[in-house]
Amino acid sequence: MTARDDTTPKRPARTAPLWRRAAAVAYDLLFVIAVVILATFLALLVTGGEPVPPEGPAQWLFRLYLLAWIAAYFVFFWCRFGQTPGMKVWRLLLIRETDGACLAPMLMRFVFGLLCIATLGILFLAAQADPKRRTWFDQRLSMRVVQLLPPA
């Protein structure tokens, strides 16, 4: 099951409650920490063990480098499986309601997710107003997150 072109899950599903989505984000945070540690380790191999200077353009490039790794984590799992490891644990699935390429919409979803974090989750909580509990960016990108129900 991938997020690319499936409009209905192959198992019974319902609209995912926000608390489950928040729990999946918290779980994925552990994986993001591991990704950042790996990316930092690789950067240290390239620099010969020298740390990045705490100020200046090198610091900004390093931050962009780490952000690219984090984006790659989410985009890879959303495009390939329709769910991150945290979403899988909480039985959540990302459904795209339109066909087409996966990379650009998922990158946009990641950027909008960063905006959601920057607003301290207010944009996330606004999903309460939508019957399908879609965030404003999921509405614009024609996506939804469903909770897969246990097999009957």
Side-chain angles (χ1 to χ4, degrees), residues 28-55:
D28 276 323
L29 181 61
L30 298 173
F31 288 97
V32 167
I33 291 169
V35 165
V36 167
I37 290 170
L38 173 65
T40 302
F41 173 74
L42 293 175
L44 286 172
L45 287 177
V46 170
T47 64
E50 293 296 319
V52 176
E55 296 176 10

Side-chain angles (χ1 to χ4, degrees), residues 15-18 21 124 126-135 138-139 144-145:
T15 300
L18 291 182
R21 294 173 71 173
F124 181 75
Q128 288 294 109
D130 185 65
K132 293 182 181 178
R133 298 291 185 257
R134 294 177 300 172
T135 59
D138 280 343
Q139 292 174 24
R144 61 190 169 106
V145 178

Side-chain angles (χ1 to χ4, degrees), residues 7-97:
T7 56
T8 57
K10 296 188 178 15
R11 285 177 35 188
R14 66 176 179 193
T15 300
L18 291 182
W19 71 267
R20 272 191 183 268
R21 294 173 71 173
V25 168
Y27 194 91
D28 276 323
L29 181 61
L30 298 173
F31 288 97
V32 167
I33 291 169
V35 165
V36 167
I37 290 170
L38 173 65
T40 302
F41 173 74
L42 293 175
L44 286 172
L45 287 177
V46 170
T47 64
E50 293 296 319
V52 176
E55 296 176 10
Q59 183 59 236
W60 286 103
L61 286 174
F62 181 67
R63 290 176 184 172
L64 286 174
Y65 165 77
L66 292 179
L67 189 61
W69 271 84
I70 295 167
Y73 165 80
F74 285 102
V75 170
F76 171 77
F77 280 104
W78 286 334
C79 284
R80 181 73 174 103
F81 305 107
Q83 57 190 177
T84 61
M87 293 172 73
K88 186 172 180 105
V89 167
W90 289 96
R91 294 191 327 261
L92 301 177
L93 181 66
L94 177 62
I95 306 276
R96 287 189 54 213
E97 297 170 341

